[in-house]
Structures are given as structure tokens and as C-alpha cells.
Amino acid sequence: MSSIRNVLFIMCDQLRADHLACYGHPYLATPNIDRLAQRGMRLDRAFVQSGVCGPSRMSFYTGRYVSSHGATWNRVPLAAGEITLGEYLKDAQRRLALVGKTHMMPDHKGLERLRLDGDSELGALLREGHFALVDRYDGHHAEPHGGYANYLRQQGYHSEDPWTDFVISAQDEHGKIVSGWHMRNAHLPARVREADSETAYTADQAIRFIEKQNDEPWVLHLSLVKPHWPYMAPAPYHNRYTFDQCLPVRRHAVEREAPHPVTAAYHQQEECRNFMRDEVIRTVRPVYQGLIAQVDHHMGRLWEALEKLGRWQDTLIIFTADHGDFLGDHWLGEKELFYDTVQRVPYIVYDPSPEADGSRNTASDALIEAIDTVPTILDGLGLPLAEHRLEGRSLLALTRGAAGPWRDAVFSELDYSYREARLLLGRRPDACRGWMVRTAQWKYIHWQGDAAQLFDLTNDPDEFFDLGADPVFESVREAMRARLLEWFCRQRRRTTVSNQDVERGTHQYKKAGVFYGVW
Amino acid sequence: MSSIRNVLFIMCDQLRADHLACYGHPYLATPNIDRLAQRGMRLDRAFVQSGVCGPSRMSFYTGRYVSSHGATWNRVPLAAGEITLGEYLKDAQRRLALVGKTHMMPDHKGLERLRLDGDSELGALLREGHFALVDRYDGHHAEPHGGYANYLRQQGYHSEDPWTDFVISAQDEHGKIVSGWHMRNAHLPARVREADSETAYTADQAIRFIEKQNDEPWVLHLSLVKPHWPYMAPAPYHNRYTFDQCLPVRRHAVEREAPHPVTAAYHQQEECRNFMRDEVIRTVRPVYQGLIAQVDHHMGRLWEALEKLGRWQDTLIIFTADHGDFLGDHWLGEKELFYDTVQRVPYIVYDPSPEADGSRNTASDALIEAIDTVPTILDGLGLPLAEHRLEGRSLLALTRGAAGPWRDAVFSELDYSYREARLLLGRRPDACRGWMVRTAQWKYIHWQGDAAQLFDLTNDPDEFFDLGADPVFESVREAMRARLLEWFCRQRRRTTVSNQDVERGTHQYKKAGVFYGVW
């Protein structure tokens, strides 16, 4: 029997899989996260459902592909009709606590339509995706009235907007206060003390929450806003690494020669134009690594707190990220598009059950998707899985060595309609979508209104050579299109009745007093 | 400028396109429906989104494909989050009145989740799909407490369930009361007077509604339950036609030789086993025709009422059906599957505007889908089209000769998970779906877990010869699969923000105080 009573679901924001020591980084030290991988199972081929925060997180929180939950980009709210992890838990009299970021956008129009835009408890839950807020903190923009800003002011950071003035600001060589929004300042230490920085504050909140639960079971989503931009670290993490301790930039001149139209449009966007420049890469990458080292440090504190409380015995832990960060790879900055740099994330599962002992300190090549997270958590807690809605699979089948046949492809989606790229390409807002099918060997990308892309990951693991137009590979593209079609066909659209309801209702019309076709 | 003030959206239940004189039936006289076609435009290639009531109607009412609205079969409620014609009208301070059938199934679980399962006005509207009920009457099962049953009792049909006892009952040759549920009795006259029959009653309600509006504008869905089973007509329609006045049965011995597994499973269901027998076909088909002749008679009364009130000048009229009826074609009874017998429906549009004068008394070969109905009605009333949700096109572009390029394929879907066929095939409830792509020449059917089907409609208009496994046609199947994939890719999944919202929000992050990628 499973011994899981609690769940700690940790997400980093914009953390590339290759930026952890346990995933092979030769210089970046992440001993605490590595320790989790040693106690649990490291998933080496874990992929998100979209390479950008909002849709990726909605897939993490709903267990559904982006086409199914419909929140196709950061500014697209999750429809009020979609059911999130917190609601599944609530239906089982459990609570999903939140510390940190969710990127939940309230579906104001949908809630207004349902008269749930007022002060009702349900309206509040739906606005927050059924997270019970311990302390929501999304980062990446000023939140002057939030818990973190209040905390900072209490610590003596006197400002109406201490995040802007201290957390992402620095003092330059001339004593001038400069902003972390300008990447040229990333090498400077933030004006906030490390102990008061975002990562420290968020970890503190989580530790305090766990301590306060005593022996009551809990489910906590600890959602760190780092190492996401603004790239500005507090001392001593701002200069923890030098550029020669960073990974080589994964780019090739051939990628600039005749790029795919969508990639070419991204290349023209400001963040990509800047990340094509060596001085940007040289300035940002060491700080990005420093921010990760800082995250690792606070994970160590969290592990200690769990140890003290005896919680390693009964807590399922998931450590992952919502997507990666190009940092100049493929001549790109930021995220989106379908390269592994952005699509592949770290994913470590620590399953405390004795059944999982055989998988400790092992790694799996199984293809994992973000949508597996909700089924894993529900399964861990022994709660029913709404199979007619959930599109992922419990990973406890892997940790416990009982998986059977596993999927052989993962899928991701993009809607670039809100991006400058749409304007550069002259597209309508409903004609900007792309879909990725990725197997162990092949990555196929299907674009609305543009040619497909294809990469041979066995012979070109860096994804430099686009075979999308190469006639030699038409049969591969054809097979990948067949997979994409099959994927669309099995999406869960019938969400109002469960599979059990269908079973019970099959071939029962005569019981309802209807007798068609009788002679 | 359009002169449309009112909309009369008429739907018959289970009416095959080939069972109207204006669509080519050589014996069945439908002079009144023909008259509508003369005043308006006849659409010769109109197809439904599913060959069964519930999902087809939900597509008619939402303007969305079945995969998008999710109500995949009769017993699957439309999700509370889906927006129907009535709600679009309500948002524009208009009302969608209903007389007759809708097949709306309240999404009880979804409404309970949203605390809308009580007596609120909104809950009531959502339960009825935002129809304002003049008189809802679904037919096909006893509704002893409805308006029609009350009416019948007032007319002297003394019974707790006058529908069962009079409307679908008859007296046989021996004086015994027998049920219309048994098709062997279909040749007998119903025990209800014609003037009190379902079609007469429903038409009366509609006429009374229209008269009562005086000069107030209105939108009415008149939804007749006939010629749907139980096949029992009141005199004189019960024997209006003889079997030699019926269409030849469209079936071929080759269809029984090695049928597709899903078709073979349907062949084993009771209604199909019975409709394989000549005596069933000989008994039912004349009555089915009689029921249509009766519908036509009451359409004549309706046209007269409109004439008297001067409503032909300002009323958009749509006449269609939710699907056809096999009546033994292809060795099948009832409906479902993807043959034209069931998928193709009559569709007549009367557009009163002078701009439509050029299209009067003409027919169009354009491929029409049920989802075009909502856009047509909203367009007719000058109301905005929610392009991010609606998947159809306004047909007024056709009536007014301003269509431009039109679609060259239609799509339909089936979920047979509730049917005995699923049990016969040993399938899980979430693995029973099929999709049809139909162009002018080809019909391709894509099945979950089974081989595809292909029919060459040019050389085999009766769809007898399944080319699904013929290697000669692999390139055709490949092209049809590409169309199906393209169709999935363009479905409207992003329902919480409009295209206009996206336009306004494109490339605006700096205005929101976010400055990523800036050097």
C-alpha cells in the first residue's frame, strides 16, 4: 500500500533540463536537487505541453493538452468549465495550497456569464484555479500590494514598489541605480539581500506552511518564479559562475541561412535580436546559473525541514519546470517554438512508498508529459482519475516498475497570435498555431499556413538541420502526420459524462421506455 | 440593407433529403415545402455534423463541430460552458422562442458544480440551452405532464399518458389496441385525430406564437418531432402512399459480404436486423412518407399565417432536418454511421431581402454544414459573429451571391460508445469514435481502432463499394487524412478571448510593464 499522505509539487519557472548537475551540467552545482533525484527517480525525457508559461501551466494543472483546455497563450484565461487539480482535491475534501506563481488568468467574461464574478467562495476559487492561496506571487511584474512587497517593506526596503526598486534593481559601477529589465545590468548584484530575495521568501513560505500542518495531511504547490527573467541575482549568486562555466551555445550558421518563416519572424523580435549577440549571452548565462544555484540552496533547506518533520516517509515530491529558456540557443531568446531547449524540462519524482524502492537513484528514458502530473498526484493520494477528462498517465507506474507499454511520442502546441511574429507574418489571430510530435528519434512540427519542420534527433540532436522540405524524409513526415491525427482523435472532448456513466448507459434505451426498431 | 426582423428556424426530425418533391422524390407530394424552395434557395448538398439527434442539434444550436462542443451522443449533455444561439440572441436583447423538440440534456453535474442547479433564471436558461419555451415537446417517449398531454386530455383523450395510448396506438383488425412501438402496426391509423396529432399541435403552437407577436420582432425555432419514429400516422396520412410509391431501397449484396467491423456490428443490432426484412421496409416506408406529407400540409398553414400577417417581407426562414433515416438502405435501420442517407438533409433558406432576389427558385451545390445555421441567423439579424467560437459560415453570402470561395469538404462525427455495437466490438467507452470527410467526389471515414472507409461518390453515388482497403486509392485516402488533420487544426479551441481581444493585445507587453529581452 502507498504510504503517501502529502504532496509537494515544486515548479521552477523557465528552468532548462540541462541546467542541473544531475541532468549533466558539468559546472553548475545543484547538490540538493541531485539528492532528490538520488532518493527518487529522474525522468530524462520529460516535455511540456507548450513552451510558454500560461498554456504549459494550465496543462500541468488540468492534466489536459492545450487544445483540450483552450488556454493557448499567456493572456488566454482558462475557461471556467475546465477542472484543475485543486478542484479534484476539493471534491475529495482535500486542499491544494499555493506558494508562489500560477499564471492563472481569471476567465472574467466566463465568470460574469455564470454570475460568478462577485464575492462568492466559488467565484474566488474559480478565479484562482482552485488553489488555496498561502501566498500567491507571480513575479515578472510589479505586485506592490502583494505579500512579498509587504514583507520587503517590513524588512526596511522603503518603497511603494520594492520589487522594482530593490529586487530587480542594482547599483552600477558609478553608484547609479539601474534596472534588471536591462540585461546589460544582469552581472550586478540585486539591491535585495539574498535572505529577502524572491526564492528565499518563497521557500520560507513553503517551509512555514509545512511546519504549520503538524500531522494534518497536505498538498502544496511550491511554484518558484526563478530562474525566469528579469535576470538579476542577489549576492553571492550574481557572480557565482563565470562564462566559461556555462554550457556552449547551441547554434549553427546553417540555422540563419533559410530559417522556417515562423522561426525567421521570431529572429526579428527584440529578445532574439539581443540574444544573438555574444555580450548578451556572456552577461546573462552566468547569472541564470547563479539563480539556479540559489534555487538549489533553498531546496536544501526545504529537504531539511521535511527531514526534521519526518515528512520524507509520507510525502510524494515532484520537482519540475514549466519550460526552458533559449539564452541564445538557435539564435533565439526567451522561449516558445519547439526546440528541446525549451520543451524539455527536469522532472524528478520522489515516491516514498516501499514499492518505489527499486527505482530510487535511477533514471528513466520514458517519454513524460506535463499532463502526467495531475494523474500522478491523484493516484498517489488514492483518488479516482477522471479518465474522460485527464489525458496524462500516473508516473507511479514508472516509480513502482509497473508501467507496461508506455507512450512513444509527446505533443506540444504553440499559439503565437499575441506575438510580434504574427504581425511580421501578416497572419490573422486564429491562424497562428503549431503542433509538435516528438518521438525518441524524430521531431515533427506542423504549422498552420506554413511548411512543416522535421529534425532527426538521433543524427542531429542539436536540431540544426531542418528536414521539413527534404524529399527523402516524406515518409517520415507522413508517419508523423498520422501520429498527430491519431492524437487529435483521442483527445478528451466528451467532458460531461464519465466513462463509467457511458458503461452504465450502454444499450439501455428500452429501460428508458424507448423501443425503436422493434417489429 | 437587410429587411430581416424575424427568424423562423424550422427543423424536422429524421427527414431524409431525398424525401421531398423539390429534392427529387417522384411520388411524395410536398407542394408547400416546394413553394418555400421556390421563394428561397434550395441547398442540395447540406450535411449534418453527426447522424444522430443530440450531437447534430447541438451543432445546429452552437455553430460548432461535435469535437468542439463535446456532446458526442444523445445522452451526453452539452457542457454548461458552451454558448448556444439563444444566448447569443439574449446578449443582443433578443429571445429565441421554442416550439417543439431540442434534445437539450441539462448538464446537471456541470450546473451543480457552478451552483446553478437551483431555481435561478440563469440555471433554467442553461438547462434549456437558452431557449425560451413556448412549448417544449421532444416526442419519442411519454411526456405525460407536458403541454401536449394536457392538450390531448382537454380534447377528450382520457389517459394518464395519452401519447402512449392514443398518439402512438392504433386499433388492429381484431379491435385490439396495439402499439406504434411495434413497426408491424405502422400501417394502422393512429388513435389520435389528425388535428390533434403531434405535427398539427406543434404547427398550431407556432402559428399562435407568431400571431401573438403582432409587430414585435421574433426568432422562433419550430422543431417538429416527425417523421421520426414511432412510425404511426393519423388518418388520412397512414395510408396516403403505397409501397410502389416509395423510393427503391438503396442496398447491394456486396455490402453484406465483408462489411466494415463497425457496420457489421450495427447490422447485428435489432433495428437493423429488422430493417433487413422486406416486410418491415414495405410497412414502414409508406407511413414515413405519409408523415412527411402531413408535415408539408402544416407548413402550408404556416405559410398562410405568415402571408396574412405580412411576415414574408421581413422573416428569414430556414427549413432543415437533424439527420435522415436508413429505412433499410445499406441493410440498416434508424440512423448513425456516415452514409448520405443519414448525413444529407434538406436545407432551404428563404431570405426576404431584395439582395437575395437573384437566388430565388435556384438551387446551390455548395457544401453546407449544420454549423452554418447560427452564423446565418446572427448575420440575418445584423448581430456580431463570435468568430473565435463559431465554426460555420453565414449562408446569406450564398443567397445574396456574395460568397466568394466556399468550403470544399464537410465533416461529421460519430461516438457509438452507448450503442450495442460497442459491446459487440468489445471496445472501451473512449475508443468508439469515427470522423467523416466528404468532398464532392470522395467520402473518407476515419475510425478509432479500425480501418478507414472510402467511397467514390462520382462512380458509386450509392456508396456500395468500400475502397478503404484498396491499394489503388492510398493517395486519395492520404489526401483525405490530410484534410481531416487540417480540420482538427482549425477547430476553435481558444474560446475565452475573441479575435478582437487578441488583435488588441498583440505585442503589447511593454505597456503592461514587462520588458523582457531588452539590453
Side-chain angles (χ1 to χ4, degrees):
Chain A
M1 273 303 294
S2 166
S3 54
I4 297 170
R5 293 177 76 236
N6 318 300
V7 180
L8 177 55
F9 166 27
I10 306 168
M11 186 177 280
C12 289
D13 200 348
Q14 202 143 323
L15 172 59
R16 292 164 57 143
D18 59 8
H19 270 58
L20 292 175
C22 57
Y23 278 85
H25 197 295
Y27 308 108
L28 176 51
T30 51
N32 295 301
I33 298 169
D34 298 355
R35 190 141 55 96
L36 184 71
Q38 284 152 18
R39 298 179 85 154
M41 189 178 201
R42 194 184 77 223
L43 299 162
D44 279 353
R45 285 182 178 161
F47 294 87
V48 291
Q49 263 53 70
S50 186
V52 61
C53 305
S56 173
R57 284 164 184 268
M58 297 312 118
S59 285
F60 269 106
Y61 301 154
T62 61
R64 289 161 62 75
Y65 291 108
V66 176
S67 279
S68 295
H69 65 58
T72 60
W73 200 68
N74 283 343
R75 298 191 53 182
V76 179
L78 186 69
E82 285 294 312
I83 296 181
T84 53
L85 175 61
E87 187 166 348
Y88 289 120
L89 292 173
K90 187 163 189 290
D91 288 347
Q93 282 77 54
R94 298 291 305 258
R95 201 174 79 120
L96 175 57
L98 168 74
V99 168
K101 166 172 173 164
T102 66
H103 211 115
M104 288 299 310
M105 300 269 299
D107 177 15
H108 287 299
K109 285 183 195 171
L111 293 172
E112 187 187 342
R113 168 180 179 260
L114 297 165
R115 317 282 191 270
L116 290 169
D117 51 340
D119 294 330
S120 70
E121 185 203 351
L122 176 63
L125 281 171
L126 287 169
R127 277 195 294 277
E128 293 292 349
H130 275 77
F131 282 103
L133 310 189
V134 177
D135 192 80
R136 176 170 171 170
Y137 174 64
D138 271 14
H140 327 332
H141 57 89
E143 299 179 46
H145 306 298
Y148 182 47
N150 290 336
Y151 165 84
L152 288 171
R153 281 187 287 261
Q154 283 163 15
Q155 304 309 310
Y157 300 93
H158 299 297
S159 165
E160 286 191 7
D161 178 4
W163 182 75
T164 298
D165 292 339
F166 293 96
V167 178
I168 65 155
S169 279
Q171 198 165 16
D172 74 5
E173 293 78 359
H174 314 290
K176 199 180 145 200
I177 306 297
V178 294
S179 170
W181 283 126
H182 289 273
M183 296 189 291
R184 65 176 72 238
N185 301 319
H187 64 290
L188 299 168
R191 295 181 72 209
V192 74
R193 286 182 296 271
E194 196 281 329
D196 298 327
S197 68
E198 293 164 293
T199 299
Y201 171 80
T202 311
D204 286 348
Q205 296 287 321
I207 292 168
R208 203 163 309 146
F209 169 84
I210 294 168
E211 287 171 347
K212 268 173 58 182
Q213 305 311 304
N214 292 318
D215 275 333
E216 287 301 305
W218 47 269
V219 182
L220 174 64
H221 181 40
L222 166 55
S223 187
L224 301 156
V225 301
K226 288 294 162 189
H228 192 288
W229 47 255
Y231 305 107
M232 178 138 284
Y237 295 102
H238 71 294
N239 64 0
R240 170 65 59 94
Y241 294 98
T242 58
F243 182 63
D244 57 6
Q245 292 170 316
C246 294
L247 293 185
V249 181
R250 197 183 284 138
R251 66 186 186 188
H252 191 294
V254 74
E255 294 182 287
R256 295 288 285 150
E257 280 168 23
H260 186 274
V262 179
T263 313
Y266 271 75
H267 281 165
Q268 292 181 61
Q269 295 181 160
E270 182 180 19
E271 73 281 4
C272 297
R273 280 188 282 109
N274 279 330
F275 269 105
M276 285 178 193
R277 297 162 52 193
D278 284 344
E279 71 177 325
V280 177
I281 293 171
R282 296 180 72 92
T283 308
V284 170
R285 285 202 171 209
V287 181
Y288 180 76
Q289 294 197 175
L291 289 166
I292 295 165
Q294 190 194 5
V295 166
D296 185 79
H297 168 73
H298 289 282
M299 290 303 99
R301 294 179 53 226
L302 188 56
W303 302 167
E304 271 172 47
L306 294 173
E307 198 74 62
K308 246 182 246 168
L309 297 162
R311 288 285 83 88
W312 283 93
Q313 295 163 40
D314 56 12
T315 303
L316 171 70
I317 305 177
I318 292 171
F319 179 93
T320 187
D322 59 350
H323 53 76
D325 189 328
F326 282 119
L327 300 169
D329 280 6
H330 308 291
W331 311 93
L332 294 162
E334 252 275 270
K335 52 220 172 198
E336 306 194 346
L337 300 178
F338 293 106
Y339 294 100
D340 271 12
T341 308
V342 155
Q343 298 290 332
R344 183 169 164 255
V345 290
Y347 203 114
I348 300 167
V349 187
Y350 167 74
D351 174 356
S353 310
E355 300 99 304
D357 285 349
S359 68
R360 301 199 190 287
N361 200 20
T362 66
S364 169
D365 266 348
L367 287 163
I368 303 309
E369 296 183 287
I371 54 172
D372 297 335
T373 306
V374 171
T376 301
I377 293 173
L378 295 177
D379 186 23
L381 295 171
L383 298 176
L385 305 187
E387 286 187 322
H388 62 300
R389 278 190 296 260
L390 296 177
E391 297 175 321
R393 287 188 63 175
S394 168
L395 301 176
L396 302 189
L398 295 174
T399 60
R400 299 172 187 183
W406 196 258
R407 71 168 68 88
D408 61 0
V410 295
F411 297 83
S412 187
E413 305 180 55
L414 175 65
D415 173 6
Y416 62 85
S417 59
Y418 279 93
R419 299 302 312 273
E420 188 184 10
R422 176 174 75 77
L423 306 177
L424 295 168
L425 290 164
R427 293 273 153 77
R428 292 160 34 109
D430 52 6
C432 302
R433 299 190 63 185
W435 291 264
M436 175 193 88
V437 189
R438 188 202 191 281
T439 63
Q441 178 167 11
W442 299 104
K443 179 177 287 184
Y444 172 79
I445 300 163
H446 193 83
W447 290 105
Q448 271 190 315
D450 276 305
Q453 293 183 273
L454 181 72
F455 296 96
D456 178 346
L457 304 171
T458 302
N459 296 302
D460 173 30
D462 288 326
E463 308 175 79
F464 292 149
F465 304 98
D466 184 350
L467 308 172
D470 188 331
V472 170
F473 297 97
E474 177 49 25
S475 65
V476 175
R477 291 190 297 270
E478 174 48 31
M480 298 301 272
R481 274 194 295 273
R483 281 176 181 270
L484 187 59
L485 177 57
E486 191 274 335
W487 172 76
F488 272 117
C489 288
R490 68 182 156 80
Q491 285 175 7
R492 305 280 193 245
R493 300 282 176 229
R494 188 223 331 115
T495 56
T496 55
V497 291
S498 70
N499 291 353
Q500 292 73 26
D501 289 337
V502 176
E503 295 271 9
R504 275 190 294 273
T506 302
H507 194 43
Q508 297 295 318
Y509 55 95
K510 288 186 180 174
K511 285 192 187 152
V514 167
F515 303 90
Y516 61 85
V518 179
W519 175 244
Chain B
M1 274 302 293
S2 166
S3 53
I4 296 169
R5 292 177 74 235
N6 319 299
V7 179
L8 177 55
F9 166 27
I10 306 167
M11 186 176 281
C12 290
D13 199 349
Q14 203 142 326
L15 172 59
R16 292 163 57 143
D18 60 7
H19 270 57
L20 293 175
C22 59
Y23 278 85
H25 198 296
Y27 308 108
L28 175 51
T30 51
N32 295 302
I33 298 169
D34 299 356
R35 189 142 55 96
L36 184 71
Q38 285 152 19
R39 298 179 85 155
M41 189 179 202
R42 194 184 77 224
L43 299 162
D44 280 353
R45 285 181 179 162
F47 294 86
V48 291
Q49 263 52 72
S50 186
V52 61
C53 304
S56 173
R57 285 166 184 266
M58 297 313 117
S59 286
F60 269 107
Y61 301 154
T62 60
R64 289 161 62 75
Y65 290 108
V66 176
S67 279
S68 295
H69 64 59
T72 60
W73 200 67
N74 284 343
R75 298 190 54 181
V76 179
L78 186 69
E82 285 294 313
I83 295 180
T84 53
L85 175 60
E87 187 166 348
Y88 288 119
L89 292 173
K90 188 165 189 288
D91 289 346
Q93 282 76 53
R94 299 289 304 256
R95 201 174 77 122
L96 174 57
L98 168 74
V99 168
K101 166 173 174 164
T102 65
H103 211 114
M104 288 299 311
M105 301 270 298
D107 176 16
H108 287 299
K109 286 184 195 171
L111 293 172
E112 188 187 341
R113 167 180 180 261
L114 298 166
R115 318 281 191 273
L116 289 169
D117 51 341
D119 294 330
S120 70
E121 186 203 352
L122 177 62
L125 281 170
L126 286 169
R127 278 194 294 278
E128 293 292 350
H130 275 78
F131 282 103
L133 309 189
V134 177
D135 192 80
R136 176 169 172 172
Y137 175 65
D138 271 14
H140 327 331
H141 57 89
E143 299 179 44
H145 307 298
Y148 182 47
N150 289 337
Y151 166 84
L152 289 171
R153 282 187 286 262
Q154 283 163 15
Q155 305 309 310
Y157 301 92
H158 298 296
S159 165
E160 287 190 6
D161 178 5
W163 182 75
T164 298
D165 292 339
F166 294 95
V167 179
I168 65 155
S169 280
Q171 199 165 16
D172 75 3
E173 294 77 358
H174 314 291
K176 198 181 145 198
I177 307 296
V178 294
S179 170
W181 283 127
H182 288 274
M183 296 189 291
R184 66 176 71 238
N185 302 318
H187 64 290
L188 298 167
R191 295 181 72 210
V192 74
R193 286 182 296 273
E194 195 283 327
D196 298 326
S197 68
E198 293 164 293
T199 299
Y201 171 80
T202 311
D204 286 349
Q205 296 288 321
I207 292 168
R208 203 164 308 146
F209 169 84
I210 293 168
E211 288 171 347
K212 268 171 60 182
Q213 305 312 305
N214 294 316
D215 275 334
E216 287 300 305
W218 47 268
V219 182
L220 175 64
H221 182 39
L222 166 56
S223 187
L224 301 155
V225 301
K226 289 295 163 190
H228 192 288
W229 48 255
Y231 305 108
M232 178 138 285
Y237 295 102
H238 72 295
N239 64 0
R240 170 66 59 95
Y241 294 97
T242 58
F243 182 63
D244 57 5
Q245 292 170 317
C246 294
L247 293 184
V249 182
R250 197 183 283 138
R251 67 187 185 186
H252 192 293
V254 74
E255 294 182 287
R256 294 289 283 151
E257 281 168 22
H260 186 274
V262 179
T263 313
Y266 271 75
H267 282 165
Q268 292 182 60
Q269 295 181 160
E270 182 179 19
E271 73 282 4
C272 297
R273 280 187 282 110
N274 279 330
F275 268 105
M276 286 178 191
R277 296 161 53 191
D278 284 345
E279 70 176 326
V280 177
I281 293 169
R282 295 180 72 91
T283 307
V284 170
R285 285 203 170 207
V287 181
Y288 180 77
Q289 294 196 174
L291 289 165
I292 296 165
Q294 189 194 3
V295 165
D296 185 78
H297 169 72
H298 290 282
M299 291 304 100
R301 294 178 54 227
L302 188 56
W303 303 166
E304 270 171 49
L306 293 173
E307 197 74 59
K308 244 182 248 167
L309 298 162
R311 287 285 83 89
W312 283 93
Q313 295 164 41
D314 56 12
T315 303
L316 171 69
I317 305 176
I318 292 170
F319 179 93
T320 188
D322 59 350
H323 53 75
D325 189 329
F326 282 119
L327 300 169
D329 279 7
H330 308 290
W331 311 94
L332 294 161
E334 251 276 269
K335 53 219 174 199
E336 306 193 345
L337 300 179
F338 293 107
Y339 294 99
D340 270 12
T341 309
V342 155
Q343 296 291 332
R344 183 170 162 253
V345 289
Y347 203 115
I348 299 167
V349 187
Y350 167 74
D351 174 357
S353 311
E355 300 97 304
D357 286 349
S359 67
R360 302 198 190 287
N361 199 20
T362 66
S364 168
D365 266 349
L367 287 163
I368 304 307
E369 296 183 289
I371 54 171
D372 297 335
T373 305
V374 171
T376 300
I377 293 172
L378 295 177
D379 186 23
L381 295 171
L383 298 177
L385 305 187
E387 286 187 324
H388 61 301
R389 279 190 295 262
L390 296 176
E391 298 176 320
R393 286 188 63 176
S394 168
L395 301 175
L396 302 189
L398 294 174
T399 61
R400 298 172 187 183
W406 197 257
R407 71 168 67 89
D408 61 359
V410 295
F411 297 83
S412 187
E413 305 179 56
L414 176 64
D415 173 5
Y416 62 84
S417 59
Y418 279 92
R419 299 303 312 274
E420 187 184 11
R422 176 174 75 77
L423 306 177
L424 295 168
L425 289 163
R427 292 275 153 77
R428 292 160 35 109
D430 52 5
C432 304
R433 300 190 64 184
W435 291 265
M436 175 192 89
V437 189
R438 188 202 192 282
T439 63
Q441 178 168 9
W442 300 102
K443 180 177 289 184
Y444 172 80
I445 301 163
H446 193 83
W447 290 106
Q448 270 189 315
D450 277 305
Q453 294 183 272
L454 181 72
F455 296 97
D456 177 346
L457 304 170
T458 302
N459 296 301
D460 173 29
D462 288 325
E463 308 174 78
F464 293 149
F465 305 98
D466 184 350
L467 308 172
D470 188 330
V472 171
F473 297 99
E474 177 49 25
S475 66
V476 176
R477 290 191 296 270
E478 173 48 32
M480 297 302 271
R481 274 195 295 273
R483 281 175 181 271
L484 187 58
L485 177 57
E486 191 274 331
W487 172 75
F488 272 116
C489 289
R490 69 182 157 80
Q491 285 176 6
R492 304 282 193 243
R493 300 281 177 231
R494 189 225 328 118
T495 57
T496 55
V497 291
S498 70
N499 291 353
Q500 293 73 27
D501 290 336
V502 177
E503 294 271 9
R504 273 189 296 270
T506 302
H507 194 43
Q508 296 296 317
Y509 56 95
K510 288 187 179 174
K511 286 193 187 153
V514 166
F515 303 92
Y516 61 85
V518 179
W519 176 245

